[in-house]
Amino acid sequence: MSDKKYSSGYRAKRKADSARLAALDVLAQVREEDAYANLVLADTLRDYGVEGRDAAFATELTYGTLRMRGYYDALIERSASRPLKELDPLLLDVLRLGCHQLLNMRVPEHAALAETVDVARQVTSDGPSKLVNAVLRTIQRTAPREWEALIKGQSDSRKATAEITSHPEWVVEAIRDALGDSSFDATEVVEALSANNIPAKVCLAARPTLTTRAQLLRELGDQGSAAQVASTSVIMDAGDPGRVAAVKDGRAGVQDSGSQYVTEVFTSIPLTGSDREWLDLCAGPGGKAALLTGYARSVGARLTANELHKHRARLVAQNLKAFSREDYRIRVGDGRTMAEHDGERGYYDRVLLDAPCSGLGALRRRPEARWRKDPRDLAELNALQWNLLRGAVDCVRTGGLIGYITCSPHLSETRDIVSQAVAELPLELVNLAPQVVDLPDALTTDGCIQLWPHRHGSDAMFLAVLRKK
Ligand SMILES: C[S@@+](CC[C@H](N)C(=O)[O-])C[C@H]1O[C@@H](n2cnc3c(N)ncnc32)[C@H](O)[C@@H]1O
């Protein structure tokens, strides 16, 4: 750190604010160590002695900056008049923090500037801190509406939408394709992407046969309200879910309302013949398994929850602790080859395949997730999804149902893989139109369900139901 006075001379050097330093440290951990911000934030705040209102400030600063990084980078690049890659990464993080304070927090402009320059000086030296001052002043001098117009006005509409909504360009393309829009800057494409910039509220699931939404609402008092989409879901408007008695004892769990809805729809599809043995092929950590066990129990069926990883199977057990051991069994194994084991082939009446996926439908939950995802991972995921689908076909009886779910709207892991399955495997698609009369904008043209944060207030969950021929 430099000992020299800040050269503009308008105030003396002073120690940078701990909340901002802590936020910067988290950004650095995310960038350098691939850390998850939500996992390292609490320890980092403790290390810097940041608590109470300062901790809330640091949290908002960290998450907001990570989320809006793409937009801030567009402004920084234009204001620094040099490519971003020529900026020191730590300095770039400082600039991003400054942008968030200037543009999206209720921090007075002079404080946003001065405090950010203090941080720059403390973690680098005088020279770079002058650059921070100059760049942030340039950003501040232009009105937010003018910045938006400037970015939207560029000829490359995919890049413009990516920058305005703060997403990688490949995600813009994926969302446009999933919505069936022809242009990258179509109103709904921008709305869908912008919805990822609004943090999701905590949602609880009232687990069937253990409690009801009405009971959960009563328990929460003025801290809860009924959520959209699923009949089991409750939004926690305030408070800590870990302190809710129903969550502590397993009658309820923290779960997105879209996840609840697709599980509810799948279990409500009528089935000819027996309906006693249900399988959750990829069950960890067990949110859907807990709903499935409840629904199964209410019709006299039993759930088998399968999971590849032992430690995740333990989480399933934790999620099912409020049910009786007769209602479920948990097994550890590979869902792709489960039918090779004694008695598993064609044994199940319903199989839920909640497949490992890109998670593009839950970007609003993890502020930095969109920057970490790589489109090259999709090919590997698609191969796994396909092999799990084949595994599910082997486990379900003729006439039985498979519910294929992803937390993603990306076509390669939703409608494309399902149409390939219908073409190549002994499966027919069940049209879900009768199940979604109250939610017609959730139905895809091929009769599947695709939820969206901007339409339904849930994660972008996908459900296709397939019947084995
Ligand atoms: C999307 S998550 C399932 C979420 C879960 N249904 C819930 O609601 O809590 C996918 C799960 O599949 C598991 N998995 C991955 N490969 C698998 C395989 N070959 N067989 C079984 N499970 C697998 C992962 O470990 C992960 O727990």
Side-chain angles (χ1 to χ4, degrees):
M1 189 179 87
S2 164
D3 284 323
K4 276 182 266 165
K5 270 194 160 187
Y6 189 50
S7 65
S8 71
Y10 68 89
R11 64 190 172 79
K13 186 187 70 160
R14 57 172 188 190
K15 205 171 173 314
D17 162 49
S18 302
R20 289 174 173 86
L21 285 172
L24 180 65
D25 196 327
V26 175
L27 298 197
Q29 292 177 65
V30 169
R31 176 169 44 75
E32 289 168 6
E33 297 157 28
D34 239 2
Y36 289 93
N38 62 331
L39 299 185
V40 298
L41 184 71
D43 281 350
T44 308
L45 293 177
R46 208 171 306 120
D47 290 348
Y48 282 79
V50 178
E51 35 186 46
R53 287 174 58 161
D54 289 344
F57 174 85
T59 303
E60 191 188 334
L61 179 57
T62 307
Y63 288 169
T65 303
L66 285 168
R67 221 173 249 122
M68 294 309 293
R69 189 186 105 176
Y71 182 59
Y72 301 151
D73 284 359
L75 269 50
I76 293 166
E77 189 155 50
R78 285 164 176 83
S79 305
S81 311
R82 68 181 82 175
L84 287 183
K85 57 179 183 304
E86 287 180 16
L87 289 172
D88 172 66
L90 186 62
L91 207 65
L92 181 55
D93 280 343
V94 175
L95 283 165
R96 290 166 175 160
L97 288 174
C99 284
H100 192 62
Q101 292 166 73
L102 278 176
L103 301 169
N104 277 312
M105 286 181 89
R106 274 170 292 174
V107 178
E109 285 190 347
H110 65 274
L113 278 167
E115 298 278 0
T116 308
V117 171
D118 282 343
V119 170
R121 197 185 313 102
Q122 186 157 325
V123 299
T124 59
S125 60
D126 246 10
S129 67
K130 282 183 201 158
L131 175 73
V132 167
N133 186 46
V135 172
L136 291 182
R137 280 186 188 280
T138 305
I139 290 171
Q140 172 217 9
R141 269 196 299 271
T142 304
R145 237 175 305 133
E146 283 176 50
W147 275 122
E148 278 183 37
L150 197 82
I151 290 172
K152 281 184 190 161
Q154 62 190 312
S155 56
D156 181 342
S157 63
R158 184 171 71 169
K159 186 160 186 263
T161 298
E163 289 184 348
I164 277 290
T165 64
S166 192
H167 283 77
E169 288 186 42
W170 73 272
V171 176
V172 174
E173 191 165 334
I175 299 302
R176 181 203 62 165
D177 293 349
L179 285 167
D181 269 305
S182 53
S183 59
F184 292 114
D185 51 4
T187 307
E188 195 176 11
V189 175
V190 175
E191 274 173 14
L193 292 160
S194 302
N196 292 334
N197 297 331
I198 302 165
K201 288 190 177 161
V202 175
C203 189
L204 302 183
R207 291 171 170 166
T209 72
L210 298 178
T211 187
T212 62
R213 169 147 87 177
Q215 279 170 350
L216 195 53
L217 282 169
R218 265 198 302 280
E219 195 172 321
L220 288 170
D222 58 9
Q223 289 190 327
S225 53
Q228 240 185 318
V229 207
S231 70
T232 44
S233 55
V234 167
I235 290 287
M236 258 196 93
D237 298 308
D240 174 2
R243 288 170 182 266
V244 176
V247 174
K248 278 201 262 188
D249 65 27
R251 286 175 289 128
V254 176
Q255 190 175 35
D256 170 62
S257 66
S259 285
Q260 299 178 49
Y261 181 72
V262 288
T263 311
E264 184 178 345
V265 169
F266 174 58
T267 58
S268 72
I269 309 223
L271 191 52
T272 312
S274 83
D275 193 10
R276 299 187 58 81
E277 293 292 343
W278 295 11
L279 170 65
D280 185 351
L281 196 64
C282 296
K288 292 189 192 68
L291 288 178
L292 285 171
T293 305
Y295 286 123
R297 195 182 185 206
S298 64
V299 296
R302 177 182 73 146
L303 182 77
T304 297
N306 176 74
E307 165 58 44
L308 181 64
H309 301 291
K310 232 188 214 161
H311 68 281
R312 289 179 72 81
R314 278 197 287 273
L315 299 175
V316 178
Q318 184 64 20
N319 261 308
L320 298 183
K321 68 181 179 190
F323 290 99
S324 148
R325 287 309 317 260
E326 282 128 48
D327 298 327
Y328 68 90
R329 68 181 175 123
I330 296 174
R331 71 186 293 286
V332 176
D334 191 330
R336 291 170 288 193
T337 52
M338 186 169 156
E340 289 169 14
H341 296 269
D342 276 355
E344 303 287 3
R345 182 168 295 274
Y347 179 71
Y348 296 96
D349 301 305
R350 286 178 201 259
V351 177
L352 185 84
L353 168 52
D354 187 13
C357 72
S358 68
L360 276 196
L363 293 182
R364 63 196 188 131
R365 296 197 177 274
R366 290 237 180 90
E368 77 278 18
R370 68 192 71 173
W371 311 114
R372 182 172 280 140
K373 298 197 184 297
D374 189 331
R376 284 169 300 194
D377 297 341
L378 273 163
E380 204 176 306
L381 282 166
N382 292 157
L384 176 59
Q385 289 153 357
W386 177 254
N387 289 324
L388 283 164
L389 251 173
R390 291 171 61 135
V393 172
D394 291 340
C395 289
V396 77
R397 70 164 167 88
T398 302
L401 297 174
I402 296 174
Y404 173 83
I405 293 177
T406 53
C407 179
S408 168
H410 197 292
L411 289 177
S412 75
E413 45 192 359
T414 58
R415 295 165 64 186
D416 289 355
I417 200 164
V418 167
S419 57
Q420 188 191 346
V422 171
E424 296 179 26
L425 301 174
L427 294 170
E428 62 188 7
L429 199 55
V430 176
N431 186 347
L432 299 176
Q435 271 70 37
V436 292
V437 278
D438 295 339
L439 220 59
D441 64 352
L443 196 70
T444 65
T445 47
D446 42 7
C448 303
I449 287 177
Q450 178 64 66
L451 299 174
W452 291 97
H454 69 289
R455 289 188 192 170
H456 309 106
S458 70
D459 289 350
M461 302 298 301
F462 172 81
L463 168 69
V465 177
L466 300 143
R467 183 177 286 108
K468 185 167 172 182
K469 294 196 274 195

